[in-house]
Amino acid sequence: FSFPDSVQVFSNTLIIAFAKLVFNTVVPVLFSILLNELGGSFFKRTFQTIVYLPHFLSWVVLATVVSNMLSLLEEFGYNSVIYLAALLSIDPGLYEAGSIDGASRFKQILHITLPSLMPTIVLMVALNLGNILNAGFDQIFNLYNPIVYETGDIIDTYVYRIGMVEGQYSIGAAVG
């Protein structure tokens, strides 16, 4: 912690990991709810396949796509599938009762869907908290260069840069 870069590297790691945690929770939940509301099963399967596919691609391929198109995220589709499975377990009778009581689709989502998804959301967040210091070396490294060191340098890339690139193995091992 006495090195000048240590505070920046540690805070970058926490900020990026926390942003990933929030983003990988909120976006898949919203996407799953929207996909669940879609009418035809052909559209559901098509959209689900499109967003699930990046989960199987390497970060080298995704980094190229991201830098060219600024889209596609690896875990978005996978997390959406989990939330879609949770949506299928919601009792349709709850929606019928809400409809009879005069609840609009938005009110049904707000008062039936989201509370029913909450145990799954809490479980997914709890499982992802174990990776809070893992901001994703492969993701950052594939988009990493000296220009973005200040905002993109995380613990893993700092260890790589100090230990492997600059040859300071003892410092790299200590930081790691």
Side-chain angles (χ1 to χ4, degrees), residues 65-72:
V65 172
V66 166
S67 43
N68 289 332
M69 297 175 54
L70 296 174
S71 63
L72 294 174

Side-chain angles (χ1 to χ4, degrees), residues 59-138:
W59 274 106
V60 175
V61 173
L62 283 178
T64 304
V65 172
V66 166
S67 43
N68 289 332
M69 297 175 54
L70 296 174
S71 63
L72 294 174
L73 295 167
E74 189 176 34
E75 296 302 320
F76 167 68
Y78 178 75
N79 290 341
S80 295
V81 169
I82 292 172
Y83 293 118
L84 277 171
L87 284 169
L88 292 175
S89 69
I90 299 173
D91 182 13
L94 294 172
Y95 293 107
E96 291 174 20
S99 180
I100 290 170
D101 286 343
S104 65
R105 284 307 289 167
F106 179 74
K107 289 283 187 180
Q108 289 176 14
I109 289 170
L110 192 62
H111 297 290
I112 298 170
T113 305
L114 284 176
S116 298
L117 279 180
M118 202 50 68
T120 305
I121 293 170
V122 169
L123 175 67
M124 292 296 289
V125 168
L127 290 173
N128 288 327
L129 277 176
N131 292 324
I132 197 70
L133 286 180
N134 180 9
F137 173 80
D138 51 347

Side-chain angles (χ1 to χ4, degrees), residues 8-9 11-13 15-16 140 144-154:
Q8 185 68 45
V9 168
S11 65
N12 285 348
T13 302
I15 290 168
I16 291 171
I140 304 295
Y144 188 65
N145 63 53
I147 297 170
V148 297
Y149 281 172
E150 187 178 326
T151 56
D153 213 5
I154 59 172

